[in-house]
Amino acid sequence: MKIAVIGAGITGMSCAWLLARQGHDVSLFEQNGTPGGHSNTVDVPGRGAHPLPVDTGFIVYNAATYPNLVALFDHLDVPTQASDMSFAVTLDRGKLEYSGTNLAGMFAQKRNLLSPTTT
Ligand SMILES: Cc1cc2nc3c(=O)[nH]c(=O)nc-3n(C[C@H](O)[C@H](O)[C@H](O)COP(=O)(O)OP(=O)(O)OC[C@H]3O[C@@H](n4cnc5c(N)ncnc54)[C@H](O)[C@@H]3O)c2cc1C
């Protein structure tokens, strides 16, 4: 069957790859100059001479809820690294700051315990 897949993000590329493996005649269309969609790695200046590659789209996954992605990484021999997932916010030059790690992080600024309007 002739099949057009629109968009070369992880979804489109995975579909196109799987369909092509099943013998379909697949054309993949992408409006941007590069494939990957949100999944993109950008080099930013790091410490020392080497730039630091930062993943903007796919940062974390876990084996329990991403079995297909894990299988794809295994098949393509994509290296991954154990990590934790953290979240932190700083607003108005540090006026409001919190992190999602635990309760202490939510109230990193103790004055906010008595300031329910600071949201
Ligand atoms: C900042 C950020 C962090 C994220 N972190 C994580 C994470 O840690 N873990 C995780 O699992 N997920 C994460 N995600 C989500 C993950 O990146 C997305 O779910 C995934 O990349 C979506 O893939 P997709 O192929 O469905 O869509 P997209 O990546 O959006 O790809 C769609 C593609 O289709 C193209 N397109 C659209 N319309 C047309 C058209 N008419 N013609 C041609 N091409 C077209 C677009 O240009 C694009 O390339 C994150 C997303 C963002 C933005």
Side-chain angles (χ1 to χ4, degrees):
M1 191 186 297
K2 280 177 82 86
I3 299 174
V5 175
I6 312 296
I10 184 70
T11 308
M13 286 198 289
S14 302
C15 288
W17 179 65
L18 288 168
L19 288 164
R21 279 165 58 99
Q22 290 174 10
H24 298 289
D25 181 5
V26 181
S27 297
L28 180 60
F29 294 89
E30 171 54 53
Q31 65 186 356
N32 292 333
T34 54
H38 272 308
S39 306
N40 190 18
T41 304
V42 179
D43 281 340
V44 299
R47 290 198 187 123
H50 300 290
L52 187 66
V54 175
D55 294 330
T56 60
F58 264 102
I59 303 162
V60 293
Y61 73 97
N62 62 71
T65 50
Y66 289 69
N68 292 332
L69 187 66
V70 172
L72 184 66
F73 285 162
D74 286 347
H75 183 82
L76 299 175
D77 220 6
V78 174
T80 63
Q81 191 172 317
S83 170
D84 67 341
M85 188 164 177
S86 56
F87 172 79
V89 170
T90 180
L91 289 172
D92 292 339
R93 296 177 181 272
K95 208 168 148 194
L96 174 65
E97 294 186 327
Y98 62 91
S99 77
T101 310
N102 52 35
L103 205 55
M106 283 304 289
F107 294 98
Q109 295 159 304
K110 301 288 178 270
R111 64 176 181 269
N112 290 340
L113 277 166
L114 303 172
S115 178
T117 55
T118 311
T119 53

